Amino acid sequence: MTSQAADEPETVVASRRSKITPEREREFFDAVLEQIRECGYESVTMEGVAASTRCSKSTLYRQWKTKPQFVAAALRANRRVRFTGIDTGSLADDLRQAARAAGDWSAKDTKLLQALGHAMTSDQELSRALREALIDPEIAALQEMLARGVARGEIRSDHPALEYVPAMMLGVLRVRPVLCGEYADSDYLARFVEAAVLPALGLT
Amino acid sequence: MTSQAADEPETVVASRRSKITPEREREFFDAVLEQIRECGYESVTMEGVAASTRCSKSTLYRQWKTKPQFVAAALRANRRVRFTGIDTGSLADDLRQAARAAGDWSAKDTKLLQALGHAMTSDQELSRALREALIDPEIAALQEMLARGVARGEIRSDHPALEYVPAMMLGVLRVRPVLCGEYADSDYLARFVEAAVLPALGLT
DNA sequence: GTGTACCGGTACTCAGCCGTATCGGTACAC
DNA sequence: GTGTACCGATACGGCTGAGTACCGGTACAC
């Protein structure tokens, strides 16, 4: 849908369909995601997004048919690889570093997940987009770490706690604000890994 | 607001203010909570609740001023003590039994929390009601278990994993449906306690 | 220069829901 | 029997937001 920006600099055949530059598009996406984090999915309006980006509601509806499709597109554009470049050679250190890294974007991602948590049960496209953007990459990265640890022989592949590591990490991320009102930061996550995750895995 | 039912059987002075019996009131509360679980807070309408309980919208507005106040009242009425009567004399067995018990109501409570997760950030009364109904009782019960374990000398009071037990338990409850699409049942929670929580605490 | 087609702005339709008002029916008190 | 006051039903006002239509301006292609 917006993939022509990747390999079509300026002068290619397919007649330009839109004057919206990729940078402009990202402004729209950032605006709607930010408003979702602040006000929740239901309270976000196309008018509000248009106003905050100084564009016209018509412009948004020319690019995306409906509000959920617009939000889903924003989520997919926001998708990025998590925990990039974490590979210390030690499972324990990988997890420690992942905890530190997660602290940076935990608040933003958790807010999004919280705000869209129920909307995703009604709209299937939204659900898939949210999963691809926020959930699958994190789980995949964690499982990759664990797989490397198994391959190095640091932990047995049938260790009973292995399958619960993603749930523990993401679970703590998500419930922290509910339990004590503030989002999990790097320090909290690092202490959690040290005090609970590593002992459960039998590492130190 | 509705506390006269507790100590006023039938024949007391204070003129009856409402013909709504406590049983009828509970029907209203059950209906609105169920609709919240199904459709989310924003999508629940007073008209829908009235229709599904075959009462009039006026009846609801006579008892409760606004929709959030109505929902908050329903939450408070739904409040109940969790993990009642769990006291096996062993911290590990307490946690095992709590996991089994939690499986019974985890789906309903998790749906509510998910549906109201963002609404609670905007309405303070709703937020407090939700916390009192669904979060505080569970945390209190867990911490009581842990305190008993400490008192019996099963675990040192400064064990680093102690403070993360509530977050682990509730975290897993909440993210399970996000991760794999189904709610945490008793078996899953029991296996989680066995494989992750108890080892983190150094029990067995 | 000329034309095309997209952009921003505004006005509009349509639908849904909150909360209020009104009215007849009825159960209970006395 | 009589009165009171609550219940259920319905209709209504007001607002908000999704999505559409139209219109003038303008940038880019050729």
Side-chain angles (χ1 to χ4, degrees):
Chain A
M1 184 177 293
T2 65
S3 55
Q4 85 261 25
D7 45 2
E8 291 187 16
E10 228 90 321
T11 72
V12 200
V13 51
S15 63
R16 78 183 192 298
R17 305 263 300 271
S18 163
K19 292 178 183 171
I20 306 286
T21 66
E23 293 75 22
R24 186 73 170 130
E25 196 179 57
R26 172 143 295 276
E27 283 182 48
F28 298 153
F29 290 160
D30 288 345
V32 68
L33 294 184
E34 188 53 34
Q35 289 192 21
I36 287 175
R37 278 186 276 260
E38 293 303 313
C39 316
Y41 174 75
E42 306 285 346
S43 302
V44 166
T45 68
M46 298 296 263
E47 256 153 343
V49 174
S52 76
T53 54
R54 282 177 301 281
C55 82
S56 155
K57 205 163 52 149
S58 319
T59 303
L60 298 180
Y61 277 108
R62 271 185 213 111
Q63 308 290 324
W64 302 278
K65 291 296 172 196
T66 65
K67 172 178 161 180
Q69 284 181 24
F70 174 43
V71 173
L75 285 171
R76 269 192 278 266
N78 194 53
R79 177 178 48 185
R80 53 183 188 276
V81 182
R82 310 293 186 182
F83 308 122
T84 36
I86 296 186
D87 188 357
T88 64
S90 145
L91 176 54
D93 285 338
D94 276 5
L95 289 172
R96 289 186 183 102
Q97 208 162 324
R100 294 238 158 253
D104 296 338
W105 34 261
S106 79
K108 289 180 74 172
D109 282 9
T110 302
K111 277 182 194 170
L112 257 189
L113 220 54
Q114 178 122 327
L116 290 168
H118 193 272
M120 70 185 287
T121 67
S122 56
D123 187 297
Q124 192 175 356
E125 182 179 0
L126 210 53
S127 172
R128 259 186 299 129
L130 186 61
R131 197 171 295 275
E132 291 171 12
L134 291 183
I135 301 170
D136 291 347
E138 306 185 1
I139 295 184
L142 283 172
Q143 285 180 336
E144 205 177 317
M145 277 180 204
L146 298 171
R148 285 198 305 263
V150 169
R152 283 189 300 258
E154 297 180 68
I155 190 171
R156 290 179 47 180
S157 66
D158 62 349
H159 192 291
L162 263 186
E163 63 171 311
Y164 299 103
V165 171
M168 287 173 78
M169 300 287 289
L170 298 191
V172 166
L173 269 173
R174 285 206 64 189
V175 295
R176 183 89 202 288
V178 179
L179 292 189
C180 68
E182 57 191 47
Y183 291 90
D185 56 14
S186 292
D187 283 346
Y188 176 83
L189 288 173
R191 282 184 281 122
F192 171 69
V193 164
E194 209 68 46
V197 179
L198 297 183
L201 289 171
L203 302 173
T204 131
Chain B
M1 184 177 292
T2 65
S3 56
Q4 86 261 22
D7 45 4
E8 291 185 16
E10 226 91 322
T11 73
V12 201
V13 50
S15 61
R16 77 183 195 296
R17 304 262 301 271
S18 162
K19 292 179 182 170
I20 306 286
T21 65
E23 292 75 23
R24 184 71 169 135
E25 197 181 56
R26 172 143 294 277
E27 282 181 48
F28 297 152
F29 290 160
D30 287 346
V32 70
L33 294 184
E34 189 53 34
Q35 290 192 21
I36 288 175
R37 278 186 277 259
E38 292 303 312
C39 316
Y41 175 75
E42 307 284 346
S43 302
V44 165
T45 69
M46 298 296 262
E47 258 153 342
V49 175
S52 76
T53 54
R54 281 176 301 281
C55 81
S56 154
K57 205 165 50 150
S58 321
T59 302
L60 298 180
Y61 277 108
R62 272 185 213 111
Q63 310 289 325
W64 303 279
K65 292 294 174 197
T66 66
K67 172 178 161 180
Q69 284 181 24
F70 175 44
V71 173
L75 284 171
R76 269 192 277 266
N78 195 51
R79 177 178 49 186
R80 52 184 189 275
V81 182
R82 310 292 186 182
F83 307 125
T84 38
I86 297 185
D87 188 358
T88 64
S90 146
L91 176 54
D93 285 338
D94 276 5
L95 288 172
R96 290 186 182 104
Q97 208 161 325
R100 293 239 158 251
D104 295 338
W105 33 261
S106 78
K108 290 181 73 173
D109 283 8
T110 300
K111 278 183 193 169
L112 258 188
L113 220 55
Q114 178 122 323
L116 290 168
H118 193 272
M120 69 184 289
T121 67
S122 56
D123 187 296
Q124 192 175 355
E125 182 180 359
L126 211 53
S127 171
R128 260 185 298 128
L130 187 59
R131 198 171 293 275
E132 291 171 12
L134 291 184
I135 301 171
D136 291 346
E138 305 184 2
I139 295 184
L142 283 172
Q143 285 179 336
E144 205 178 317
M145 275 179 205
L146 297 172
R148 285 199 304 263
V150 170
R152 281 189 299 256
E154 296 179 68
I155 191 171
R156 291 179 46 178
S157 66
D158 62 348
H159 192 291
L162 264 187
E163 64 170 311
Y164 299 104
V165 171
M168 287 173 76
M169 299 286 291
L170 298 191
V172 166
L173 269 174
R174 285 206 64 188
V175 294
R176 183 89 203 287
V178 179
L179 293 189
C180 68
E182 57 192 48
Y183 291 91
D185 56 14
S186 292
D187 283 345
Y188 175 82
L189 288 172
R191 281 184 281 123
F192 171 67
V193 164
E194 209 69 47
V197 179
L198 297 182
L201 290 171
L203 302 173
T204 126

